[in-house]
Amino acid sequence: TSTFVLNLAILGPIASDVANSDRLIANSVNAKVVKANATEGSLKSVMQDLLKETQQLTAAMLNEDFSLIANKAKNIAEHPKPSMATRKKIMKAMGPKMAKFKTNDDVVHGAAVNIMTNAQQKNISGVSEHYKKMIDGCLSCHSLFKSEVSAILK
């Protein structure tokens, strides 16, 4: 987890580009069908997987399935990274703004880890508290950087 090179926060900007995929996932379409729309290892692919994991985390929370909550939170915290070329392109273009990305990543990653810990303790209130922090971190990054990162990757 300390090996995060690209923070989770910069993954958010692609979410708007996959609105159709989001609807497919929301309608419980197999994730492999959705992934066909993105190149393996692309930022889009990573974001689609994170969306799927977050949706499954939400369902697990509503069912108080603590084992599944812990598993999905772990998958979010330890998600695959986009390609090195994509990460370098974003880092070069963003320059000093990368510090803010790191801050957002720390919030999201830390919240996902805390969700795992609370799930292991079967503490649904703690899970919920950190889930809110995770989602707030995602939304904060999306609102701050979505347009810029999308433009960088076009």
Side-chain angles (χ1 to χ4, degrees):
T1 58
S2 64
T3 60
F4 264 30
V5 175
L6 174 69
N7 52 52
L8 178 60
I10 45 180
L11 301 178
I14 297 305
S16 68
D17 295 340
V18 295
N20 289 334
S21 296
D22 294 355
R23 283 192 284 288
L24 289 174
I25 292 172
N27 290 322
S28 300
V29 171
N30 186 320
K32 289 181 183 176
V33 172
V34 175
K35 284 184 82 170
N37 295 326
T39 303
E40 191 66 34
S42 72
L43 189 56
K44 184 175 184 176
S45 175
V46 172
M47 286 304 300
Q48 289 172 342
D49 288 346
L50 284 167
L51 174 62
K52 181 182 125 202
E53 296 292 344
T54 301
Q55 290 172 328
Q56 292 172 354
L57 171 61
T58 304
M61 288 171 58
L62 293 171
N63 289 307
E64 294 190 33
D65 182 339
F66 292 105
S67 176
L68 189 56
I69 292 168
N71 176 267
K72 295 301 165 183
K74 181 177 192 248
N75 291 348
I76 292 167
E78 299 176 1
H79 68 84
K81 299 172 192 142
S83 71
M84 182 58 77
T86 298
R87 289 180 282 161
K88 285 182 177 181
K89 184 175 183 178
I90 293 167
M91 288 184 248
K92 181 178 178 184
M94 295 300 293
K97 294 179 193 172
M98 288 304 296
K100 182 63 177 167
F101 282 125
K102 181 62 178 153
T103 300
N104 278 300
D105 177 53
D106 291 344
V107 169
V108 173
H109 176 78
V113 169
N114 286 326
I115 291 168
M116 283 190 297
T117 300
N118 280 276
Q120 291 164 348
Q121 297 168 353
K122 299 189 183 326
N123 177 359
I124 196 66
S125 294
V127 166
S128 176
E129 173 188 342
H130 293 288
Y131 177 84
K132 290 173 193 170
K133 289 178 184 177
M134 185 183 80
I135 296 299
D136 285 346
C138 294
L139 294 175
S140 171
C141 188
H142 292 194
S143 70
L144 292 171
F145 301 112
K146 180 180 189 174
S147 297
E148 187 172 359
V149 173
S150 292
I152 291 166
L153 294 177
K154 285 190 180 188

